[in-house]
Amino acid sequence: MKIRALLLAATALSIAPAAQAQEDRLGALERKLAEQQQRIEQLESLVARQSQLLEQVGTPAPAPAPQVAPPVATAPIAASTPAAAPQLAGAAPAPGGEFGIAGLDVSGDMRVRQEWNYGTARDRSRSAVRARLRATYKIDDHFAVGTQIATGDPDDPNSTDVTLGNFVDDFAVSLDQAWVRYTNGGLTAYAGKFPQIFQRTDTLWDGDVSPQGVGVSYGAGLGGARVDARGIWFVIDEAAVARDSDMLGGQLALSAPLGATLKAGLTGSYYHYRLGSVASADAGDFRGNLISGGRYLSDFHLIEGIGTLGWSGLSERWPLAFTADYVKNLGAAVAGDTAFNLELAAGRTAKPGDWRIAYNYSEVQVDSVLAAFSHDNIDLSTNYKLHGVGIGYVPAPHLQLDLLWYHYRPLDPAYAGALPPREWLDRIRLAFMVSF
């Protein structure tokens, strides 16, 4: 009996360590399974996040529309790009849709134009092409960067056109804009070489001129009206020895409804040019202004007023618009210090089937504007009297046809140069533009 009891005790003692070891192994296996399960959950979460990111890249959410220059007053018929609609409605695709990059917006246009000139010693016709490609990348809710490349002579800020000829030489293409933009509510600030921020007509600013330096604008509602303030430091020329050339400018614009279908606007601007260095200037920059000793004869301290009146009561497709622009150069050294332009337009060029018809009359005295940045649509950049008629038509989305006629002559025979002092000249342009 005692022997049996001893045997049972010995057996129990030998089994206990084995059982304990088995429990330890089971516990270790459970812990490993728990760790593997945790890793699996982490991997599944990572895969889900990556899938979500891939879906966002493949089909980006519509980004806010890129900021553009403030509303532009209806420009004179003399505009190199018809003022009614430089970009057709719906021409720009959804941001990021082309390359699958969220925040990236790519757009551009291509224009082919035929021109006929009459009234000089030899009638002349020429064909011209313009191509522009621009891109904007939105970094976050406030910052964006942008560029534009364009055809044309890089030494001519007033035109991106290339005349066909030159024994089929390749076109010159240059970086026309490169900028950083900051936006916050109604505030927009640019640095670099950026799109025009001022409300304008071609009397003072050609549509192809991209200012360089720093530009700031702020807009806010005021009851039913809107107020916009804009300022610029415009770098023109930098010199190692002489004083740099620049311009400080400011603009205040007010627009308000006068009724359900009537709207009015009033804009006042001041541009103070400080033209110290002109070392980088060429004949195209001096153009129609008076020169003495290789420098501008006049200073250019320009006051400008623009008034607009729009009525849409006739129909949505046939709004009526009247624009008046007046410029006075307070720094002129001669009596030719004043310019004005009047335009009456009917219609629009926003959707397929739209038409726009416009007439304008301009008188621009010899030193009333700085010719380096005014329009180059006729042979005279200043000292001219001009009648202009324009017809625009949108046959299909992204397409526009324009027919322009300029009838002009020198205003003051004393500054006519090589042109007949009292003879009227004619320029006709037929343009076809594709936007995307």
Side-chain angles (χ1 to χ4, degrees):
M1 187 69 179
K2 290 181 179 180
I3 293 173
R4 182 181 295 179
L6 289 172
L7 289 173
L8 290 173
T11 302
L13 289 174
S14 64
I15 291 174
Q20 182 64 39
Q22 183 69 19
E23 290 178 359
D24 291 342
R25 286 195 296 271
L26 290 174
L29 289 173
E30 290 175 351
R31 286 192 298 271
K32 288 181 179 180
L33 287 173
E35 290 174 358
Q36 290 178 351
Q37 182 64 31
Q38 185 178 4
R39 291 177 183 174
I40 291 172
E41 292 175 353
Q42 292 174 349
L43 288 172
E44 289 177 344
S45 177
L46 179 60
V47 169
R49 288 198 300 270
Q50 291 177 342
S51 299
Q52 184 178 6
L53 289 174
L54 288 173
E55 290 176 357
Q56 292 176 352
V57 171
T59 310
Q67 297 250 346
V68 297
V72 175
T74 306
I77 295 300
S80 56
T81 301
Q87 277 192 319
L88 303 181
E98 307 88 349
F99 303 102
I101 302 176
L104 178 65
D105 180 25
V106 178
S107 62
D109 58 72
M110 171 77 179
R111 184 180 68 192
V112 179
R113 187 176 69 198
Q114 185 65 30
E115 177 181 291
W116 298 269
N117 295 274
Y118 304 100
T120 57
R122 183 181 76 87
D123 294 341
R124 179 193 178 197
S125 66
R126 70 183 184 112
S127 303
V129 172
R130 182 191 73 185
R132 300 184 296 187
L133 179 65
R134 63 191 68 89
T136 301
Y137 180 69
K138 189 175 176 63
I139 299 172
D140 56 27
D141 290 339
H142 299 293
F143 285 96
V145 295
T147 61
Q148 176 174 283
I149 58 174
T151 54
D153 184 354
D155 291 330
D156 183 1
N158 306 76
S159 178
T160 51
D161 292 314
V162 179
T163 300
L164 300 183
N166 298 321
F167 280 81
V168 203
D169 288 347
D170 291 340
F171 294 161
V173 177
S174 59
L175 186 63
D176 185 49
Q177 294 179 10
W179 47 262
V180 177
R181 184 183 68 212
Y182 173 79
T183 56
N184 192 347
L187 175 68
T188 301
Y190 283 96
K193 198 169 191 290
F194 47 87
Q196 179 63 263
I197 66 171
F198 288 119
Q199 185 175 344
R200 65 166 189 87
T201 74
D202 274 7
T203 304
L204 207 56
W205 293 103
D206 187 275
D208 288 316
V209 173
S210 298
Q212 55 190 10
V214 177
V216 179
S217 64
Y218 182 79
L222 187 64
R226 179 176 176 83
V227 177
D228 291 278
R230 308 174 185 111
I232 194 173
W233 173 54
F234 184 7
V235 178
I236 298 171
D237 196 23
E238 189 276 335
V241 179
R243 189 199 179 283
D244 296 346
S245 291
D246 59 11
M247 184 269 281
L248 296 174
Q251 184 177 86
L252 186 64
L254 172 67
S255 60
L258 302 181
T261 58
L262 188 63
K263 186 176 182 179
L266 185 62
T267 300
S269 309
Y270 178 67
Y271 307 101
H272 190 93
Y273 286 91
R274 301 180 293 185
L275 301 174
S277 170
V278 293
S280 299
D282 55 28
D285 296 314
F286 290 119
R287 296 205 295 159
N289 293 132
L290 300 179
I291 306 300
S292 177
R295 303 183 63 82
Y296 291 100
L297 178 64
S298 296
D299 294 326
F300 291 90
H301 306 154
L302 310 179
I303 293 179
E304 181 184 34
I306 300 174
T308 60
L309 191 63
W311 181 62
S312 58
L314 188 63
S315 74
E316 181 183 4
R317 282 196 159 181
W318 289 98
L320 300 179
F322 174 75
T323 303
D325 186 13
Y326 177 84
V327 181
K328 176 82 170 179
N329 181 11
L330 303 180
V334 295
D337 61 357
T338 304
F340 72 86
N341 176 75
L342 303 174
E343 182 188 73
L344 181 63
R348 65 179 191 181
T349 51
K351 296 180 180 180
D354 283 351
W355 289 83
R356 184 178 187 269
I357 303 172
Y359 165 80
N360 82 295
Y361 176 75
S362 302
E363 289 188 10
V364 178
Q365 295 180 334
V366 65
D367 271 357
S368 59
V369 302
L370 184 60
F373 306 124
S374 65
H375 77 83
D376 63 349
N377 304 297
I378 57 176
D379 292 329
L380 296 168
S381 55
T382 67
N383 188 46
Y384 63 83
K385 178 183 293 187
L386 167 71
H387 297 271
V389 176
I391 300 174
Y393 174 62
V394 181
H398 314 298
L399 305 180
Q400 183 169 325
L401 291 170
D402 289 284
L403 179 63
L404 302 172
W405 172 40
Y406 309 124
H407 184 63
Y408 63 98
R409 70 169 179 84
L411 182 62
D412 187 339
Y415 306 120
L419 293 177
R422 299 188 182 280
E423 184 176 342
W424 287 93
L425 309 173
D426 292 281
R427 173 168 290 177
I428 299 173
R429 286 176 168 174
L430 178 62
F432 174 73
M433 186 172 70
V434 180
S435 301
F436 62 90

